[in-house]
Amino acid sequence: MNRKAYPSDVTDEEWAFVAPYLTLMTQDAPQREHDLREVFNGLRWLVRTGAQWRMMPHDLPPWAAVYQQTQRWLQAGVFEAIVNDLRAVLRLAAGRNEQPSAAIFDSRTLQSSPESGHRAGYDGAKRRKGSKVHAAVDTLGNLLALHITPADEQDRAQVDELAQAVQEATGSHVELAFVDQGYTGDEPAQVAKAHGMRLEVVKLPEAKRGFVLLPRRWVVERSFAWMTRFRRLARDYERFPETLAGLHLLAFTVLMLHRFALLMVHHPISS
């Protein structure tokens, strides 16, 4: 790397973990024009800073190369694979079982932009037109599943897709999902039961005053707060919902990689 490093650059420890996932062709392949690590650094820089593709700094690979490689990674599902494997490693390091038995479901609404406005919906509760990011995390805040809908889609209608994705990711280990009151009703409960899990609604205290930290559910709120560190995810700037979902997967990859790297520093694996 013949340039001054950006804070968003991947570290040596992180790169050692992700390189096998990202290498879809050999380093000496004739199609390989730019260093793969620098391409990954370019994608991390863009998602962290929130810049436009064409605003990629000149000391990083050309924006078109980064964009094209990003689409290849998304289509190959590499970030989803990285997240799944990192989740298992981090859970074991925390003294937990490799696969969780409980999850938390929730959604966040992102304001639309001119690029995403054609597929936006209006969220009456948030008074915002845009897209909803529906996510499931384990009790440590690690991502289990994620998908995108217009903002006018109801949370309870997403239980089927989320529950199925969670069970596929964990080998049907999840038995319980904590949710808010947007998931109440017999239908979502029956849908979850069909996937082998029970929904438990965590309600606000009746005498609420100011901010209240809800048991269990605060974990997914923290995960969404982590996403605000990535300015590209502050609004829905993407033309396609698949790209928005993929960039969320990348953001979780970056955050979980950082935790993994810290783990390796404090608890190195002996040879």
Side-chain angles (χ1 to χ4, degrees), residues 3 15 19 21 25 37-38 46 48 50 57 64 95 125 138 174 196 228:
R3 61 171 176 80
W15 181 247
Y21 298 86
M25 61 179 69
R37 180 168 176 170
E38 282 294 83
L46 182 135
R48 191 62 182 267
D138 68 7
V174 173
T228 64

Side-chain angles (χ1 to χ4, degrees), residues 161-229:
E161 186 167 348
L162 275 180
Q164 180 177 343
V166 165
Q167 298 296 44
E168 289 176 355
T170 63
S172 298
H173 275 76
V174 173
E175 302 172 355
L176 175 64
F178 297 99
V179 296
D180 65 15
Q181 295 180 78
Y183 296 83
T184 55
D186 291 336
E187 184 174 350
Q190 291 301 317
V191 169
K193 185 177 180 180
H195 290 287
M197 68 177 67
R198 175 174 60 89
L199 294 186
E200 181 172 318
V201 178
V202 181
K203 298 181 179 180
L204 285 169
E206 293 183 3
K208 175 187 175 184
R209 288 187 178 181
F211 176 75
V212 176
L213 196 65
L214 295 178
R216 299 294 185 180
R217 283 208 59 254
W218 69 269
V219 176
V220 70
E221 299 292 351
R222 182 186 62 180
S223 296
F224 285 146
W226 287 341
M227 295 299 97
T228 64
R229 299 177 182 177

Side-chain angles (χ1 to χ4, degrees), residues 114-128:
E115 289 76 18
S116 64
H118 65 284
R119 55 181 175 79
Y122 183 73
D123 184 345
K126 303 290 179 61
R127 298 182 180 180
R128 183 178 299 172

Side-chain angles (χ1 to χ4, degrees), residues 15 18-37 39 65 68-73 76 78:
W15 181 247
V18 299
Y21 298 86
L22 300 178
T23 307
L24 303 180
M25 61 179 69
T26 61
Q27 288 287 354
D28 58 353
Q31 300 95 326
R32 174 89 57 215
E33 183 179 352
H34 304 283
D35 181 74
L36 193 64
R37 180 168 176 170
V39 173
Q68 291 169 5
Q69 185 61 50
T70 297
Q71 292 302 320
R72 296 188 190 101
W73 284 330
V78 297

